[in-house]
Amino acid sequence: MATALSPSTACVVPTPSQLAALGTVLCLHRPGAARELGGWSSARRAEAHAGLDLDGMHESLRFFDADEACCWQLHLLPDSDFLAWERLAGHLPRCSEIAPGGIGDRLWRSLAQRIRGELWEASVLRFQSVPGAPEAGGPMLVASPGTLSPLGIACARRIVRGHGIAPSSSLDDCGCPRAAAAAGRPAPSEAHRHPIHLS
């Protein structure tokens, strides 16, 4: 089932059409009723992040609310539209980070995030921009389940692990014909695709 939200106020964040151009992305969002799009609706600014850790290079878009807390993250996957990602990231402030240490440091960072209440949930999504009533603030952002290649699944698992989110078995049942073939199962029909929840 698709989810739709429009931003509550005018803000300096990517537009629905810019997000729709990204293709399939990994979305990290806070637990709660608003689910996948709650962070976008409360975001006031966004940054493009590039990071390097033991697993290699990774890129994300991070969204911050009025209290300057990170409220939403989108992560580049092999299944994303790289050119659209680069166009969007090129218009945002850029930050980079290098994560030191090995698996022990990663576990400590994960524990520290949980103690501080920085819990995330993860979903693989595709966005669409749909026309909205002028009184609703213009176009609305709609999220629907995305599908991943086997390489995309591996990448998504690595990202959620790095954020202290336990991957679920639903990654193996993502509805992607290529992933099903890699797992030795028949591909599900188009009508039975469902969101890939990684938490």
Side-chain angles (χ1 to χ4, degrees):
M1 182 171 181
T3 311
L5 284 177
S6 58
S8 53
T9 61
C11 47
V12 184
V13 295
T15 64
S17 61
Q18 287 174 315
L19 295 177
L22 298 179
T24 301
V25 295
L26 176 66
C27 174
L28 298 190
H29 48 89
R30 300 294 186 187
R35 298 285 302 164
E36 289 94 348
L37 297 181
W40 181 77
S41 65
S42 62
R44 296 297 174 265
R45 68 178 186 88
E47 295 177 351
H49 276 245
L52 181 64
D53 60 20
L54 293 177
D55 294 319
M57 190 73 173
H58 52 86
E59 293 187 45
S60 64
L61 303 178
R62 298 192 186 175
F63 296 74
F64 298 85
D65 62 20
D67 296 323
E68 285 299 302
C70 184
C71 57
W72 205 50
Q73 299 181 41
L74 300 180
H75 290 262
L76 179 68
L77 296 173
D79 306 275
S80 306
D81 185 319
F82 182 76
L83 294 178
W85 183 280
E86 283 298 299
R87 278 193 300 272
L88 177 53
H91 290 93
L92 296 173
R94 288 192 174 262
C95 297
S96 62
E97 57 191 29
I98 298 177
I103 192 164
D105 286 330
R106 185 185 300 171
L107 292 172
W108 279 114
R109 282 195 307 274
S110 173
L111 179 60
Q113 287 173 345
R114 290 181 181 276
I115 290 172
R116 289 193 305 259
E118 297 178 4
L119 298 178
W120 294 99
E121 291 181 353
S123 300
V124 175
L125 301 174
R126 287 186 68 89
F127 299 114
Q128 295 86 37
S129 175
V130 297
E135 60 271 13
M140 291 179 26
L141 184 67
V142 175
S144 59
T147 57
L148 292 179
S149 64
L151 181 59
I153 291 172
C155 183
R157 283 190 172 141
R158 188 187 79 228
I159 294 167
V160 298
R161 225 178 14 249
H163 282 81
I165 305 169
S168 71
S169 61
S170 62
L171 269 180
D172 296 322
D173 301 317
C174 69
C176 173
R178 287 175 291 179
R185 292 188 311 274
S189 70
E190 192 76 25
H192 292 95
R193 292 188 176 182
H194 53 83
I196 305 168
H197 295 292
L198 306 176
S199 56

